[in-house]
Amino acid sequence: MPEPADRRYGPAHLPQPRGPLSTALTDALRRAPHDLPADLGVDLDPADPLTDEDLQLTLFLCYELHYRGWRGVDEGWEWQPTLLALRARAERPFEAALRRLTGVPAVPADGVAAGLAELVAADDGPSLAAALQRRADLTQFREFVAHRSVYHLREADPHSWALPRLGGPAKAALVEIQTDEYGNGRLDRMHAELFRRTLDRLGLDTDYGAHLDVVPAVTLATNNLMSLFGLHRRLRGALLGHLAAFEMTSSLPNRRYGNGLRRLGLDEVATRFYDEHVEADAVHEQIAAHDLCGGLVRTEPALAPDVLFGAAAALAVDRLFAAHLLDSWAAGRSSLRSPAPPSPPTPPPTVPLVGSSVVPAADPVAAREPIALV
């Protein structure tokens, strides 16, 4: 793949491998497409697929070929048959672990929208949003933003895989949601661009995929989950359920994230990404549950259990992600594989997280006394 004219939008550099499987794959990707060894990954049996660094990075390496690709990697790898076979071997333990984690959610008599509401109401995960609002310091908030950059710099893309797989009311509902996510066709209003400004305000690298090397397996798993659902037509119901869970649990946490940044003295440019989601996702919540998932199940009733599985998986993996961050901070250590730089003084430096290239902040925010929250 040729060098991009604007590195902000990808493709990203190949990340550093994390074990024998990802080492073999990255070595192969640096060469022209060719057949991988027939036995590569055949004995894959990680103790915990959701937190296995080698497995999750291998999946991410495979999946990214269907998004922006990798800098310097031949685009012919996307559909190379032996690479797809390796991906399938890695997907099997990942999907099995997800199904063990979630069980089989029952579809209530009131329908799939009611089932989604029950799953969300029963979610008892640790409140990462509350911690970021009330207690997190600037270094911890920067870590959180680095974790989330893996998804937010391509926000909405994984769920857009569902568009050609749908018709009728469900498709119309998804278009309505995605149109907002993509800023109604305006670059400056795209959610990925709003998030890029948040990164910039926090003095972090804004390039696509810039923080891949520092995020752990559980962060990659939150992203691989969407790609697994999106790239398999048989899991289209799970993909819509995942999106519904996103939208139904978004408004209050995003209010808290924005308030957390305000407490730390950041300005409205830094908080706009989160503020935008407070109102938008309150509307999307109803569309996703009733029009999107409800519309799908009215057309394809057999997919109702898949919808609830996708929602349950989204909530369960996000609980693991939140627990990892909160447990790390409670123990006095970084939640990243490499430590974040110290909290920036006045003005914040342009030094990004470890492993990232330097990108100057456009308009650094001077540190101020924390403001009181209402």
Side-chain angles (χ1 to χ4, degrees):
M1 181 175 291
E3 190 75 8
D6 190 337
R7 297 185 180 185
R8 290 176 300 171
Y9 303 119
H13 286 292
L14 279 170
Q16 293 298 311
R18 304 184 187 184
L21 197 57
S22 55
T23 296
L25 182 54
T26 53
D27 287 348
L29 291 174
R30 291 189 174 97
R31 294 181 282 148
H34 59 274
D35 285 349
L36 300 176
D39 60 349
L40 186 61
V42 294
D43 56 352
L44 191 61
D45 186 24
D48 183 359
L50 299 177
T51 59
D52 187 278
E53 298 287 349
D54 198 25
L55 173 66
Q56 290 300 329
L57 182 59
T58 295
L59 281 169
F60 196 92
L61 287 165
C62 293
Y63 288 145
E64 185 61 24
L65 294 167
H66 300 288
Y67 290 97
R68 313 287 172 89
W70 295 106
R71 197 172 303 176
V73 171
D74 192 306
E75 293 178 333
W77 274 110
E78 181 179 7
W79 298 108
Q80 210 288 331
T82 61
L83 183 139
L84 295 179
L86 171 63
R87 193 187 89 187
R89 292 187 200 114
E91 286 175 330
R92 282 193 284 272
F94 181 41
E95 184 176 348
L98 292 169
R99 293 191 182 276
R100 287 194 300 269
L101 186 64
T102 62
V104 182
V107 181
D110 291 340
V112 73
L116 290 167
E118 290 176 10
L119 285 172
V120 169
D123 185 40
D124 58 356
S127 182
L128 177 60
L132 288 163
Q133 177 184 4
R134 299 168 186 161
R135 300 187 302 276
D137 61 29
L138 188 53
T139 295
Q140 291 167 340
F141 216 112
R142 295 174 88 217
E143 287 187 14
F144 168 71
V145 169
H147 283 285
R148 290 305 200 195
S149 70
V150 179
Y151 169 67
H152 286 313
L153 288 178
R154 66 178 184 199
E155 181 158 339
D157 291 351
H159 296 111
S160 291
W161 291 116
L163 283 168
R165 308 187 193 282
L166 301 175
K171 185 165 193 164
L174 182 57
V175 168
E176 183 175 359
I177 292 171
Q178 299 298 80
T179 297
D180 284 346
E181 301 291 336
Y182 292 125
N184 290 281
R186 288 181 50 183
L187 177 64
D188 64 318
R189 294 180 61 184
M190 288 177 62
H191 289 183
E193 291 301 306
L194 298 181
F195 189 79
R196 182 170 277 109
R197 291 177 209 151
T198 300
L199 283 167
D200 184 71
R201 274 301 201 261
L202 289 169
L204 297 174
D205 194 326
T206 65
D207 282 2
Y208 179 86
H211 305 292
L212 279 173
D213 277 325
V214 299
V215 301
V218 70
T219 303
L220 297 180
T222 65
N223 290 274
N224 289 336
L225 175 63
M226 291 179 262
S227 297
L228 172 70
F229 292 166
L231 290 169
H232 290 276
R233 185 179 180 278
R234 67 181 175 85
L235 294 171
R236 62 195 180 279
L239 183 64
L240 299 197
H242 184 285
L243 178 56
F246 253 28
E247 301 295 348
M248 296 172 75
T249 59
S250 174
S251 189
L252 178 57
N254 277 291
R255 185 185 301 278
R256 288 175 167 169
Y257 300 147
N259 284 343
L261 284 176
R262 280 183 277 272
R263 173 180 60 82
L264 293 168
L266 277 292
D267 67 2
E268 66 277 1
V269 177
T271 65
R272 186 181 172 193
F273 172 81
Y274 300 112
D275 296 340
E276 173 78 13
H277 283 76
V278 173
E279 182 175 347
D281 289 351
V283 176
H284 291 173
E285 173 181 351
Q286 299 302 316
I287 299 171
H290 296 277
D291 301 331
L292 179 63
C293 293
L296 175 70
V297 171
R298 284 191 293 274
T299 303
E300 300 184 80
L303 295 183
D306 286 350
V307 170
L308 297 185
F309 162 60
L315 297 169
V317 175
D318 209 54
R319 283 196 298 272
L320 297 177
F321 170 78
H324 169 74
L325 269 66
L326 293 173
D327 290 348
S328 297
W329 296 339
R333 63 177 183 267
S334 172
S335 64
L336 298 170
R337 300 179 71 243
S338 301
S343 298
T346 306
T350 58
V351 179
L353 294 169
V354 172
S356 305
S357 58
V358 175
V359 174
D363 183 15
V365 179
R368 301 189 292 273
E369 289 295 321
I371 60 175
L373 299 178
V374 176

Coordinates of all heavy atoms in Angstrom, one line a residue, residues 21 25 36-46 49 55-63 65-66 77-98 224 227-228 231-232 234-235:
L21 N 2.1 -16.2 17.2 CA 1.2 -16.1 16.0 C 1.2 -14.8 15.4 O 1.3 -14.7 14.2 CB -0.2 -16.5 16.6 CG -1.3 -16.9 15.5 CD1 -0.8 -18.0 14.7 CD2 -2.6 -17.2 16.2
L25 N 2.5 -13.7 11.6 CA 1.6 -12.9 10.7 C 2.2 -11.6 10.3 O 2.1 -11.3 9.1 CB 0.2 -12.7 11.4 CG -0.8 -12.0 10.5 CD1 -1.0 -12.7 9.2 CD2 -2.2 -11.9 11.3
L36 N 0.3 -19.0 3.8 CA 0.9 -19.1 5.1 C 1.0 -20.6 5.4 O 0.4 -21.5 4.7 CB -0.1 -18.5 6.1 CG -0.4 -17.0 6.0 CD1 -1.4 -16.6 7.0 CD2 0.9 -16.2 6.1
P37 N 1.9 -21.0 6.3 CA 2.0 -22.4 6.7 C 0.7 -23.0 7.0 O -0.1 -22.4 7.7 CB 3.0 -22.4 7.9 CG 3.8 -21.1 7.7 CD 2.8 -20.1 7.1
A38 N 0.5 -24.2 6.5 CA -0.9 -24.9 6.7 C -1.2 -25.1 8.2 O -2.4 -25.1 8.5 CB -0.9 -26.2 5.9
D39 N -0.2 -25.2 9.0 CA -0.4 -25.6 10.4 C -0.4 -24.3 11.3 O -0.4 -24.5 12.5 CB 0.6 -26.6 10.9 CG 2.0 -26.1 10.8 OD1 2.3 -25.1 10.2 OD2 2.9 -26.8 11.4
L40 N -0.3 -23.1 10.7 CA -0.2 -21.9 11.5 C -1.5 -21.7 12.3 O -2.6 -21.6 11.7 CB 0.1 -20.7 10.7 CG 0.3 -19.4 11.4 CD1 1.5 -19.5 12.3 CD2 0.5 -18.2 10.4
G41 N -1.5 -21.7 13.6 CA -2.7 -21.5 14.4 C -3.5 -22.7 14.7 O -4.6 -22.6 15.3
V42 N -3.1 -23.9 14.2 CA -4.0 -25.1 14.3 C -4.1 -25.5 15.8 O -5.1 -26.1 16.2 CB -3.6 -26.2 13.4 CG1 -3.7 -25.9 12.0 CG2 -2.1 -26.7 13.8
D43 N -3.1 -25.2 16.6 CA -3.1 -25.7 18.0 C -3.5 -24.5 18.9 O -3.2 -24.6 20.1 CB -1.7 -26.2 18.4 CG -0.6 -25.2 18.1 OD1 -0.9 -24.2 17.5 OD2 0.5 -25.5 18.5
L44 N -4.1 -23.5 18.4 CA -4.5 -22.3 19.1 C -5.5 -22.7 20.2 O -6.6 -23.1 19.9 CB -5.1 -21.3 18.2 CG -5.3 -19.9 18.7 CD1 -4.0 -19.2 19.2 CD2 -5.9 -19.0 17.6
D45 N -5.2 -22.5 21.5 CA -6.0 -22.8 22.6 C -5.7 -22.0 23.8 O -5.2 -22.5 24.8 CB -5.9 -24.3 22.9 CG -6.9 -24.8 24.0 OD1 -8.0 -24.1 24.1 OD2 -6.7 -25.8 24.7
P46 N -5.9 -20.7 23.7 CA -5.6 -19.8 24.8 C -6.4 -20.0 26.0 O -7.6 -20.4 25.9 CB -5.8 -18.4 24.2 CG -6.8 -18.6 23.2 CD -6.6 -19.9 22.6
P49 N -9.3 -16.4 25.8 CA -9.2 -15.7 24.5 C -9.5 -14.2 24.6 O -8.9 -13.5 23.8 CB -10.3 -16.4 23.7 CG -10.4 -17.8 24.3 CD -10.2 -17.5 25.8
L55 N -3.6 -13.6 20.6 CA -4.8 -13.9 19.8 C -5.5 -12.6 19.4 O -5.9 -12.5 18.2 CB -5.8 -14.8 20.7 CG -7.1 -15.0 20.1 CD1 -7.1 -15.8 18.8 CD2 -8.1 -15.6 21.1
Q56 N -5.7 -11.7 20.3 CA -6.4 -10.5 20.0 C -5.7 -9.6 19.0 O -6.3 -9.0 18.1 CB -6.7 -9.7 21.3 CG -7.7 -10.3 22.2 CD -9.1 -10.6 21.6 OE1 -9.5 -9.8 20.7 NE2 -9.8 -11.6 21.9
L57 N -4.4 -9.6 19.1 CA -3.7 -8.8 18.0 C -3.7 -9.5 16.7 O -3.9 -8.8 15.7 CB -2.2 -8.6 18.5 CG -1.4 -7.7 17.5 CD1 -2.0 -6.3 17.3 CD2 0.1 -7.6 17.9
T58 N -3.6 -10.8 16.7 CA -3.8 -11.5 15.4 C -5.1 -11.2 14.7 O -5.2 -11.0 13.5 CB -3.6 -13.0 15.7 OG1 -2.3 -13.3 16.1 CG2 -3.8 -13.8 14.4
L59 N -6.2 -11.3 15.5 CA -7.5 -11.0 15.0 C -7.5 -9.5 14.4 O -8.0 -9.3 13.4 CB -8.6 -11.2 16.0 CG -9.0 -12.6 16.3 CD1 -9.9 -12.7 17.5 CD2 -9.7 -13.2 15.1
F60 N -7.0 -8.6 15.2 CA -7.0 -7.2 14.8 C -6.2 -7.0 13.5 O -6.6 -6.3 12.6 CB -6.5 -6.3 15.9 CG -6.8 -4.9 15.7 CD1 -8.0 -4.3 16.3 CD2 -6.0 -4.0 14.9 CE1 -8.3 -3.0 16.1 CE2 -6.3 -2.7 14.7 CZ -7.5 -2.2 15.3
L61 N -5.1 -7.7 13.4 CA -4.3 -7.6 12.2 C -5.1 -8.1 11.0 O -5.0 -7.5 9.9 CB -3.0 -8.4 12.3 CG -1.9 -7.9 13.2 CD1 -0.9 -9.0 13.6 CD2 -1.2 -6.7 12.6
C62 N -5.8 -9.2 11.1 CA -6.6 -9.7 10.0 C -7.8 -8.8 9.7 O -8.0 -8.5 8.5 CB -7.1 -11.1 10.4 SG -5.9 -12.4 10.5
Y63 N -8.5 -8.3 10.7 CA -9.7 -7.5 10.5 C -9.3 -6.2 9.9 O -10.1 -5.7 9.0 CB -10.4 -7.3 11.8 CG -11.1 -8.5 12.4 CD1 -11.2 -8.7 13.8 CD2 -11.7 -9.4 11.6 CE1 -11.9 -9.8 14.3 CE2 -12.4 -10.5 12.1 CZ -12.5 -10.7 13.5 OH -13.1 -11.8 14.0
L65 N -7.3 -5.4 7.7 CA -7.2 -5.5 6.2 C -8.5 -5.1 5.5 O -8.5 -4.7 4.3 CB -6.8 -6.9 5.8 CG -5.3 -7.3 6.3 CD1 -5.2 -8.8 6.1 CD2 -4.3 -6.5 5.5
H66 N -9.7 -5.3 6.2 CA -11.0 -4.9 5.6 C -11.4 -3.5 5.9 O -12.4 -3.1 5.4 CB -12.0 -5.9 6.2 CG -11.8 -7.3 5.9 ND1 -11.9 -7.9 4.6 CD2 -11.4 -8.4 6.7 CE1 -11.6 -9.2 4.6 NE2 -11.3 -9.5 5.9
W77 N -3.5 -9.0 0.4 CA -3.7 -9.9 1.5 C -5.1 -9.9 2.0 O -5.5 -10.9 2.7 CB -2.8 -9.3 2.7 CG -1.4 -9.8 2.7 CD1 -0.2 -9.1 2.4 CD2 -0.9 -11.2 2.9 NE1 0.9 -9.9 2.5 CE2 0.5 -11.2 2.8 CE3 -1.5 -12.4 3.3 CZ2 1.3 -12.3 3.0 CZ3 -0.8 -13.5 3.5 CH2 0.6 -13.5 3.3
E78 N -5.9 -9.0 1.7 CA -7.3 -8.9 2.3 C -8.0 -10.2 2.1 O -8.7 -10.7 3.0 CB -8.1 -7.7 1.7 CG -9.5 -7.6 2.3 CD -10.3 -6.5 1.8 OE1 -9.8 -5.8 0.8 OE2 -11.4 -6.2 2.3
W79 N -8.0 -10.8 0.9 CA -8.7 -12.0 0.6 C -7.8 -13.2 0.3 O -8.2 -14.2 -0.3 CB -9.6 -11.8 -0.6 CG -10.6 -10.7 -0.3 CD1 -10.7 -9.4 -0.9 CD2 -11.8 -10.7 0.5 NE1 -11.7 -8.7 -0.4 CE2 -12.4 -9.5 0.5 CE3 -12.3 -11.7 1.4 CZ2 -13.5 -9.2 1.2 CZ3 -13.4 -11.5 2.1 CH2 -14.0 -10.2 2.1
Q80 N -6.6 -13.2 0.9 CA -5.7 -14.3 0.7 C -6.3 -15.5 1.4 O -6.5 -15.5 2.6 CB -4.3 -13.9 1.2 CG -3.1 -14.6 0.5 CD -3.1 -16.1 0.9 OE1 -3.5 -16.5 2.0 NE2 -2.5 -16.9 0.0
P81 N -6.5 -16.6 0.7 CA -7.3 -17.7 1.4 C -6.6 -18.3 2.6 O -7.4 -18.6 3.6 CB -7.3 -18.8 0.2 CG -7.2 -18.0 -1.0 CD -6.3 -16.9 -0.7
T82 N -5.3 -18.4 2.7 CA -4.7 -19.0 3.9 C -4.8 -18.0 5.1 O -4.8 -18.4 6.2 CB -3.3 -19.5 3.6 OG1 -2.5 -18.4 3.3 CG2 -3.3 -20.6 2.6
L83 N -4.7 -16.7 4.8 CA -4.9 -15.7 5.9 C -6.3 -15.8 6.4 O -6.6 -15.7 7.6 CB -4.6 -14.3 5.4 CG -4.6 -13.3 6.5 CD1 -3.5 -12.3 6.3 CD2 -6.0 -12.5 6.4
L84 N -7.3 -15.9 5.5 CA -8.7 -16.1 6.0 C -8.9 -17.3 6.8 O -9.6 -17.4 7.8 CB -9.6 -16.1 4.8 CG -9.7 -14.8 4.0 CD1 -10.7 -15.0 2.8 CD2 -10.1 -13.6 4.8
A85 N -8.2 -18.4 6.4 CA -8.2 -19.6 7.2 C -7.6 -19.4 8.6 O -8.2 -19.9 9.6 CB -7.5 -20.8 6.5
L86 N -6.5 -18.7 8.7 CA -6.0 -18.4 10.0 C -6.9 -17.5 10.8 O -7.1 -17.8 12.0 CB -4.6 -17.6 9.8 CG -4.0 -17.0 11.1 CD1 -3.6 -18.1 12.0 CD2 -2.8 -16.2 10.7
R87 N -7.6 -16.6 10.2 CA -8.5 -15.7 10.9 C -9.7 -16.6 11.5 O -10.1 -16.4 12.6 CB -9.1 -14.7 10.0 CG -9.9 -13.6 10.7 CD -10.5 -12.6 9.7 NE -11.9 -13.1 9.4 CZ -12.7 -12.6 8.5 NH1 -12.2 -11.5 7.7 NH2 -13.9 -13.0 8.3
A88 N -10.1 -17.5 10.7 CA -11.2 -18.4 11.1 C -10.8 -19.2 12.3 O -11.6 -19.4 13.3 CB -11.7 -19.3 10.0
R89 N -9.5 -19.7 12.3 CA -9.0 -20.5 13.5 C -9.0 -19.6 14.7 O -9.2 -20.1 15.8 CB -7.6 -21.0 13.2 CG -7.6 -22.1 12.1 CD -6.2 -22.7 12.0 NE -6.1 -23.3 10.7 CZ -5.3 -22.9 9.7 NH1 -4.5 -21.9 9.9 NH2 -5.2 -23.6 8.5
A90 N -8.6 -18.3 14.6 CA -8.5 -17.4 15.7 C -9.9 -17.0 16.2 O -10.1 -16.7 17.4 CB -7.7 -16.2 15.3
E91 N -10.9 -16.9 15.2 CA -12.2 -16.5 15.6 C -13.0 -17.6 16.4 O -13.8 -17.2 17.3 CB -13.1 -16.2 14.3 CG -12.7 -14.9 13.7 CD -13.4 -14.7 12.4 OE1 -13.8 -15.7 11.7 OE2 -13.7 -13.5 12.0
R92 N -12.7 -18.8 16.2 CA -13.4 -19.9 16.9 C -13.3 -19.8 18.4 O -14.3 -19.8 19.1 CB -13.0 -21.3 16.3 CG -13.7 -21.6 15.0 CD -13.5 -23.0 14.6 NE -12.1 -23.4 14.2 CZ -11.7 -23.3 12.9 NH1 -12.6 -22.9 12.0 NH2 -10.5 -23.6 12.6
P93 N -12.1 -19.7 19.0 CA -12.0 -19.6 20.4 C -12.6 -18.3 20.9 O -13.1 -18.2 22.1 CB -10.5 -19.8 20.8 CG -9.8 -19.5 19.5 CD -10.8 -19.9 18.4
F94 N -12.4 -17.2 20.1 CA -12.9 -15.9 20.5 C -14.5 -15.9 20.7 O -15.0 -15.5 21.7 CB -12.5 -14.9 19.5 CG -12.9 -13.4 19.8 CD1 -12.9 -12.9 21.1 CD2 -13.3 -12.6 18.8 CE1 -13.3 -11.6 21.4 CE2 -13.7 -11.3 19.0 CZ -13.7 -10.8 20.3
E95 N -15.1 -16.4 19.6 CA -16.6 -16.5 19.7 C -17.1 -17.4 20.7 O -18.1 -17.1 21.4 CB -17.2 -16.9 18.3 CG -18.7 -16.9 18.3 CD -19.3 -17.2 16.9 OE1 -18.5 -17.2 15.9 OE2 -20.5 -17.4 16.8
A96 N -16.4 -18.6 20.9 CA -16.8 -19.5 22.0 C -16.7 -18.9 23.3 O -17.6 -19.1 24.2 CB -15.9 -20.8 21.9
A97 N -15.6 -18.1 23.6 CA -15.5 -17.4 24.8 C -16.6 -16.4 25.1 O -17.1 -16.2 26.2 CB -14.1 -16.7 24.9
L98 N -17.0 -15.7 24.0 CA -18.1 -14.7 24.1 C -19.4 -15.4 24.5 O -20.1 -14.9 25.4 CB -18.2 -14.0 22.8 CG -17.1 -13.0 22.4 CD1 -17.3 -12.6 20.9 CD2 -17.1 -11.8 23.3
N224 N -12.5 -6.0 18.2 CA -12.6 -7.2 17.5 C -14.0 -7.8 17.5 O -14.5 -8.4 16.6 CB -11.6 -8.3 18.0 CG -10.2 -7.9 17.6 OD1 -9.9 -7.2 16.6 ND2 -9.2 -8.4 18.3
S227 N -16.0 -6.2 14.8 CA -15.5 -6.7 13.5 C -16.0 -8.2 13.2 O -16.4 -8.5 12.1 CB -14.0 -6.7 13.3 OG -13.6 -5.3 13.4
L228 N -15.9 -9.0 14.3 CA -16.4 -10.4 14.2 C -17.9 -10.4 13.7 O -18.3 -11.1 12.8 CB -16.3 -11.1 15.5 CG -17.0 -12.5 15.6 CD1 -16.2 -13.5 14.8 CD2 -17.0 -12.9 17.1
L231 N -18.3 -8.7 10.0 CA -17.8 -9.4 8.8 C -18.4 -10.7 8.5 O -18.0 -11.4 7.6 CB -16.3 -9.5 8.9 CG -15.5 -8.2 8.8 CD1 -14.1 -8.3 9.2 CD2 -15.7 -7.6 7.4
H232 N -19.4 -11.1 9.4 CA -20.1 -12.4 9.2 C -21.6 -12.1 9.0 O -22.2 -11.7 10.0 CB -19.9 -13.3 10.4 CG -18.5 -13.9 10.4 ND1 -18.0 -15.0 9.7 CD2 -17.4 -13.4 11.1 CE1 -16.8 -15.2 9.9 NE2 -16.3 -14.3 10.8
R234 N -24.0 -14.1 9.0 CA -24.7 -14.9 10.0 C -24.9 -14.2 11.3 O -25.8 -14.6 12.1 CB -24.1 -16.3 10.2 CG -22.8 -16.2 10.9 CD -22.1 -17.6 11.0 NE -20.8 -17.5 11.6 CZ -20.5 -17.5 12.9 NH1 -21.5 -17.5 13.8 NH2 -19.3 -17.4 13.3
L235 N -24.0 -13.2 11.6 CA -24.1 -12.5 12.9 C -24.6 -11.1 12.8 O -24.4 -10.3 13.6 CB -22.6 -12.5 13.5 CG -22.1 -13.8 13.9 CD1 -20.6 -13.7 14.3 CD2 -22.9 -14.5 15.1

